[in-house]
Amino acid sequence: MSARSGRRSTTRRLLVGLLAGALLIPAGCGIPAETDVQVDGSVPVAEPGSLNGPPAAPPAPTDSDEPVPFIENYLRAAAAGDRDQAYARARSFLATEARDQLPGKPQSSEIELTVVRLRAKPESTPPNNQGTSTVRIKVQQVGVLRADGTLGPPTATETEYVFELRRAEPPGSGLLITRLPPPLLTSDSALREYYRQHKVYFWNSDLTRLVPDLRYLPAVPAERLVTEVVKWLAGGPSDWLEPGVTGLPDRTRPINNATGANSQWEVNLDMPGANEERLARLGTQLAWSLPELTGQLDLKIQNQKRFSVDLVRERTEHDAYPRGADPTRFTVYDGVIHPLALASERRGAVPLPAAENRNVVSASIARADDQVLAALVVTGPERRLRLKVGTGLDPVTVFASSAATFGTMSRPTWLRSLDRAHPAGLVAADGKLCRFDGSAVLSPVPLNVAGKVVAVAGSLDGQRITLVAGGAIYVAPVNVEGGVVSVGQPRRLPTLLTGVTAADWISEDQLVLAGNDPDRRPVIHQLSVDGGFESPLKNDVGSAVTQLAGYPGSGDRGLPAFSFMYEANGAAYQNNPFEFIKRQQVLDVPAGSRVVNPTAPFFLY
C-alpha cells in the first residue's frame, strides 16, 4: 500500500466512524436592468473542443503589444496545451532577467496550475521614464488544477497580483514581463477554453451505485482518453469525495498506455485481487467514464486477457444509479401542495390525502421504486415549524411529526441512496443540519462549517449534498448505512456571490445557487461542483431568493435540461424561460379559494 493510499484509507475509516458515532448523540436538533442569461437545454458554461478535435492554438507573446491583452494571454498560456510544456509556454512571456522568478518544470511530474477568476478587468499604467508599465489584476482564488485532472481547493490567498512589463528588443517586437507573481497562474476562462469537463465514476461504499467525480481534460485522441481515465480511476477519487466512495484496490496501476481504434480498446493493468467480480465492476466504471466511446474494451491483468465489456450495452443494461421517475412540478398554494401545469410538461397528482396536505410551508416528495417519501415542513401553534414525514404506497396515509418545533426550517431533501427499510433525509433547522428518518425523528449532523446552515440539497446519485452555511456554499459526500447518515468534511466552493441563500443540483456536476453579486444585487448563478466554472443565469432577481429547487436529470425526461424553480418575495418563478408562475398554472385549486401567490415550488421524481 502506498503512503498516500494508506493515509487516505485511515482517514476515511476515522471520519466515517466518528461521524456515525456522533450521530447517535441525542442533542442539537432534538432540543426544544440587464439581459438575463437563459438556459435552454444546454450548459451555459462551455465545454470546448471535441474528443478528437484539434486543441485551440496556444497564445504567443507576439499576439498583442498592449499590456492588458498581453497579460490576459499570459494567463491563458499555462493551460493552452500539453501540461509538460506549461512552464515553457509561460516563460516565453518573460524577459531574460525575470526567468528566475518562474522556475522551470519542477523535478516532480506533478505540475499544478493555480487557477484564478478575474474579479474585474485588469488595470494598466502608462510606461514610466524607463519604459516600464504595470498591470494589476484583482482575482478570486479558484483552486489548484492537479495532474490527475482534479481541481483542488485554493492554496494561495492573494486577492491581487501585479505584473511589470517592458518593451522587447528590437523596438516593435512586443512586450516582456520583468516582474511577476511566483505561482504558475492560469485563469478560469483559460480552463474553459482549453479543457473540457469530464466525469469518471467510482462505486459508493456498499458497491450499489456509481458516483460521478469531475475532472478536467484537454483535447486528446480517443486512445489517450482511455489512458487518462484508467489513470484517474487507479489514482482514486477527488479528496473531498473520497469518504463517500470506494476506490480500486490499492496498488492498482496501468501497464503502458491503453491501445485501440475502430471501437476495439485494450487496457493492461496490475490489479491485486483482480477476480471476476472486481473486473466486472471496473468494466461498468469504464463504460460510464467513457461515454463517448462505443465498441468493446478488453481488460488485461499483467498481459493476460481477463474480461471484456461492450461499452454501449453496459451503459444500457446497468444504470450508474437509479434515475427516478419522470419529473413533475408542484408548488405550495395557500398552505396546500398542488400540481403545476407548465407548457406541455407532464402533470402529476399529489400523492397525499387532503387531510395531511395542509399548513405546508415547504416540501420534498420523492419516489423510491413503488414507495412515496414525503417530508413536509408545516406550521403549528404560535407559527412554530415542525417536520412531518410519511412513507408508503401512493397515496401516503400514515404520517409522523417531529417532537421538536423550530423557528426556521429549510426545504427538506431526501437522500436517494436509500436503504428501502431506512429512508433518510436532511433538513436545516434553526441553523443546524439535521438528519431525519421515516418516523420524523431528527438528530444532529456535526459539521465543521462557519455560520448557520440555511439550505441543503441532495444529488440524484444520493451520495453527495450541497449546503449553504454562513452565506457560503459547500459540497460534501454522504453515506447512508443502516439508516445512519454520515457526512464527510464539507468543501467550500469559490463563487463570486456573497450572502448565498439557496442552492440545489441541476445536473450531475452543476449547481444552481442564489446570492448577491459584487453590486449587492440578488442574482442566480450556475457553479460546477468544484467551483471551477461559474456562469450567471439571472441578473437582478429583485429580492433575495428564499427557496430554490432544481431537477438534476437530463433533458430527455420531459423537462428542459438544467431546469429549476425558485421563490423570491413570496412568489414562485421558473426558468426556461424565466417567468413568474401564475395562479392559473396551479391545478386543483377549489373554487372560492383565496387569491395568493404560489410559493415553495419543487420537483417530484
Side-chain angles (χ1 to χ4, degrees), residues 456-477:
V456 60
S459 63
L460 189 57
D461 56 85
Q463 303 293 154
R464 301 167 297 159
I465 60 171
T466 182
L467 59 94
V468 176
I473 183 168
Y474 298 81
V475 290

Side-chain angles (χ1 to χ4, degrees), residues 35-42 44 536-538 574-579:
T35 301
D36 294 330
V37 180
Q38 302 284 328
V39 187
D40 188 14
S42 60
L537 297 180
K538 183 169 179 60
Q574 64 162 328
N575 75 328
N576 291 320
F578 282 103
E579 60 185 18

Side-chain angles (χ1 to χ4, degrees), residues 5-50:
S5 62
R7 286 194 303 270
R8 281 184 161 187
S9 298
T10 301
T11 300
R12 179 183 171 187
R13 287 193 299 268
L14 287 172
L15 179 61
V16 173
L18 286 171
L19 288 177
L23 286 172
L24 300 178
I25 301 172
C29 297
I31 294 179
E34 294 180 29
T35 301
D36 294 330
V37 180
Q38 302 284 328
V39 187
D40 188 14
S42 60
V43 184
V45 292
E47 293 190 359
S50 60

Side-chain angles (χ1 to χ4, degrees), residues 38-347:
Q38 302 284 328
V39 187
D40 188 14
S42 60
V43 184
V45 292
E47 293 190 359
S50 60
L51 179 60
N52 295 299
T62 55
D63 287 349
S64 178
D65 59 1
E66 293 296 324
V68 167
F70 180 84
I71 292 302
E72 289 174 335
N73 282 338
Y74 170 78
L75 294 174
R76 297 169 60 221
D82 189 89
R83 183 72 68 87
D84 287 342
Q85 300 301 313
Y87 278 91
R89 289 190 300 272
R91 283 163 63 88
S92 70
F93 285 74
L94 308 187
T96 302
E97 63 269 27
R99 295 289 173 90
D100 290 342
Q101 298 177 38
L102 186 69
K105 179 180 175 181
Q107 295 298 318
S108 162
S109 61
E110 299 286 324
I111 294 178
E112 297 182 340
L113 307 183
T114 296
V115 183
V116 297
R117 183 173 289 134
L118 298 185
R119 300 182 66 91
K121 185 72 175 175
E123 299 175 351
S124 64
T125 62
N128 58 22
N129 292 337
Q130 288 75 40
T132 299
S133 60
T134 63
V135 173
R136 187 180 305 271
I137 61 173
K138 297 179 179 179
V139 303
Q140 178 185 54
Q141 299 290 340
V142 173
V144 177
L145 183 62
R146 297 169 176 160
D148 63 359
T150 62
L151 184 66
T155 57
T157 58
E158 287 83 359
T159 59
E160 186 174 276
Y161 291 114
V162 178
F163 297 82
E164 286 187 1
L165 302 88
R166 66 167 172 82
R167 292 291 171 184
E169 298 292 342
S173 55
L175 296 168
L176 291 170
I177 299 172
T178 59
R179 184 167 70 90
L180 72 158
L184 185 57
L185 292 173
T186 192
S187 64
D188 64 332
S189 59
L191 192 65
R192 186 177 305 185
E193 181 178 4
Y194 292 102
Y195 286 75
R196 65 188 181 92
Q197 295 179 324
H198 188 95
K199 296 183 290 291
V200 292
Y201 290 79
F202 290 90
W203 288 100
N204 66 350
S205 59
D206 61 4
L207 306 177
T208 58
R209 63 183 63 199
L210 292 172
V211 184
D213 188 12
L214 185 61
R215 306 295 171 103
Y216 290 86
L217 181 77
V220 295
E223 61 271 18
R224 184 176 165 189
L225 170 64
V226 178
T227 297
E228 291 297 316
V229 165
V230 172
K231 286 181 179 178
W232 291 345
L233 292 175
S238 298
D239 291 343
W240 77 270
L241 186 62
E242 185 181 18
V245 298
T246 301
L248 298 184
D250 289 338
R251 300 188 304 279
T252 296
R253 62 177 184 86
I255 301 175
N256 301 321
N257 293 330
T259 59
N262 301 321
S263 300
Q264 184 71 41
W265 313 98
E266 186 176 279
V267 170
N268 192 11
L269 293 171
D270 183 358
M271 183 179 178
N275 56 31
E276 189 81 5
E277 183 179 4
R278 283 182 171 176
L279 291 175
R281 288 200 299 264
L282 176 57
T284 305
Q285 283 181 265
L286 287 168
W288 280 101
S289 300
L290 296 166
E292 305 93 337
L293 301 189
T294 60
Q296 180 174 300
L297 188 148
D298 295 331
L299 288 173
K300 287 185 172 182
I301 301 299
Q302 296 181 337
N303 301 312
Q304 300 295 315
K305 182 178 175 180
R306 295 279 300 276
F307 193 84
S308 295
V309 58
D310 183 307
L311 297 172
V312 173
R313 181 184 301 169
E314 189 69 20
R315 291 191 292 266
T316 301
E317 295 181 354
H318 299 95
D319 279 342
Y321 48 82
R323 303 284 168 157
D326 289 342
T328 50
R329 300 182 193 245
F330 292 83
T331 190
V332 175
Y333 187 86
D334 197 18
V336 177
I337 300 170
H338 288 272
L340 282 171
L342 302 186
S344 58
E345 293 177 6
R346 180 174 175 269
R347 300 169 187 180

